[in-house]
Amino acid sequence: MKSILLIGLGRFGKHIALNLNQMGHQVMAVDYDEEKVNEVLPFVTSAQIGDSTNADFLESLGIRNYDVCIVAIGNDFQSSLETTSLLKEMGAKMVISRASRDVQEKFLLRNGADKVVYPEKQMAKWTALRCSASNILDFVELDNEHAMLEVPVPHDWIGKSIGQIDVRKKYNVNIIGLKKNGKLLFSITADQMLDAGDSLFALGKDKDLQKCFRL
Ligand code: ATP
């Protein structure tokens, strides 16, 4: 369980709060709009109404005590940047900030963000991928070049073992897990057999994954 400070409770922030709650994390939610704060009250641990660009207000939240601080403000970039920078100055352990334009990403990283999420860009990529490759069940972009995919076991791999298909040598792709009968298996060995209906979690460079799974 992590202790998380979530600032900005628009649609994006609200979904983050919901998910963190389902995962059992402790969330302190902040927005300067009382209505937005009230909407998330049922699924956060605590909440405060306040302006995150106000240093005294932020200081009063005890920033060092949170494992992660999330700045989910999208439209008001000035506020997002000021909040990110203040959080880091106040000793935040990890700051994840939201970008909504390409240029914002690098400003946030230079001004205190440890990680940047860019929901519109990331979801656009995922949606385009889903349309063009119907066999992708899930996709996590790791950086500009690398990703993790969940894909159904290709037909010609059914009945073979992970060792026999040897995709690490052939394609430079790592199989890191398997879903069998709805169960996740992450300690798989080379003699693990692949059956119809299984899906694979594969990690690698985008171009290697595309070749390997004919995406
Ligand atoms: P979303 O796209 O997530 O729906 P939005 O379009 O409602 O967001 P944003 O400008 O991205 O609006 O702001 C997200 C939330 O952050 C809003 O609920 C807004 O009230 C809050 N917010 C913006 N600036 C601050 C600030 N300085 N302090 C606290 N809350 C803020």
Side-chain angles (χ1 to χ4, degrees), residues 7-13 31-33 36 50-53 72-76 79 98:
I7 300 172
L9 307 171
R11 287 159 303 171
F12 183 57
D31 202 295
Y32 56 26
D33 182 338
K36 298 283 171 68
D51 183 346
S52 60
T53 61
I73 302 169
N75 290 323
D76 183 352
S79 279
R98 171 189 181 182

Side-chain angles (χ1 to χ4, degrees), residues 8 24-26 39 49 95 99 118-119 129 132 136 157 159-160 170 181 185 190 201 205:
H25 297 296
Q26 263 190 333
E39 279 177 33
I49 302 162
V95 182
Y118 187 170
L129 251 170
S132 54
I136 295 181
W157 296 6
K160 293 183 180 161
K170 283 189 203 148
N181 304 319
L185 309 173
F201 295 92
K205 281 194 173 182

